[in-house]
Amino acid sequence: MKMAAILNVFLLSLSVSKTVTYAPFVNKQTVVNISSTYSDYSVSRAVDGNLDQSVSSCSHTSNFGSIKKAWLRIDLGRVYSVKSVKIWYRDDKGSPYENTVRLRGYSLRVSNDTSVPPPESSCYNDPGIVTLPTIVEEDCKRTTRYIWIYQSNTPNEEPPMLEICEVQVFGK
């Protein structure tokens, strides 16, 4: 008798609970821009659906010494309620530290226009003190049209650079 009551409560809880699913907003038609481009590492590689993380499959900002910031901007096409941003970063440099050293200290920023948003618009700021995994997903609970992956950190005395292989934005 007790087992039947427990089973009924469990089945009732399953029918009452609400599962929230979040839609991916990025696809091959998503408009994406980048602050600069290194060689032929086109920004379109960041939204092509290819999850390969070798540099030949990634977008890459320029490495000119005069560069003070690097960014990648995703245009969602209209304003959405964003939940999170997932980044596939380059992973072919031989060690976890070397793979993501250029990503350390990045921020996720949001805006509703194409002007580079100020630091106050950040929904996530990496503290820059630990080695990052090559796939990161961070909460970015905002209502926005544009998502910016922004970098002004200068590791190893190099200019700020981004090597983004794929990006996805989730929300409703």
Side-chain angles (χ1 to χ4, degrees), residues 21-36:
T21 57
Y22 296 97
F25 295 141
V26 175
N27 59 51
K28 290 180 182 181
Q29 286 74 46
T30 299
V31 175
V32 61
N33 296 94
I34 199 164
S35 56
S36 62

Side-chain angles (χ1 to χ4, degrees), residues 1-171:
M1 189 72 166
K2 277 186 173 181
M3 190 60 150
I6 291 171
L7 182 59
N8 283 337
V9 169
F10 174 73
L11 291 174
L12 180 61
S13 71
L14 286 178
S15 66
V16 172
S17 68
K18 182 178 178 184
T19 302
V20 178
T21 57
Y22 296 97
F25 295 141
V26 175
N27 59 51
K28 290 180 182 181
Q29 286 74 46
T30 299
V31 175
V32 61
N33 296 94
I34 199 164
S35 56
S36 62
T37 303
Y38 177 75
S39 190
D40 65 343
Y41 296 99
S42 169
V43 68
S44 64
R45 294 177 184 182
V47 296
D48 64 3
N50 180 357
L51 301 181
D52 179 29
Q53 292 174 265
S54 62
V55 72
S56 62
S57 298
C58 302
S59 65
H60 194 312
T61 58
S62 184
N63 63 348
F64 292 124
S66 61
I67 292 175
K68 302 295 181 213
K69 61 187 174 187
W71 53 260
L72 183 142
R73 182 183 69 222
I74 301 111
D75 181 355
L76 300 176
R78 68 176 181 86
V79 173
Y80 285 99
S81 292
V82 171
K83 197 266 187 220
S84 65
V85 177
K86 189 171 186 177
I87 301 167
W88 286 260
Y89 205 75
R90 180 179 180 178
D91 77 349
D92 61 353
K93 288 184 166 183
S95 77
Y97 173 81
E98 286 297 321
N99 285 333
T100 59
V101 68
R102 292 175 175 164
L103 185 60
R104 291 173 68 172
Y106 80 101
S107 63
L108 295 174
R109 298 182 182 185
V110 299
S111 72
N112 286 321
D113 63 49
T114 58
S115 301
V116 175
E120 300 80 42
S121 71
S122 297
C123 57
Y124 176 77
N125 289 297
D126 179 70
I129 56 174
V130 297
T131 299
L132 296 168
T134 58
I135 300 174
V136 294
E137 184 170 4
E138 300 298 343
D139 283 344
C140 184
K141 296 178 182 173
R142 301 288 173 90
T143 301
T144 191
R145 176 174 175 166
Y146 297 97
I147 301 288
W148 301 70
I149 302 168
Y150 184 89
Q151 179 61 285
S152 59
N153 189 26
T154 55
N156 302 332
E157 300 181 25
E158 294 180 315
M161 282 184 262
L162 292 170
E163 301 159 302
I164 307 292
C165 301
E166 194 69 24
V167 63
Q168 186 54 262
V169 179
F170 298 96

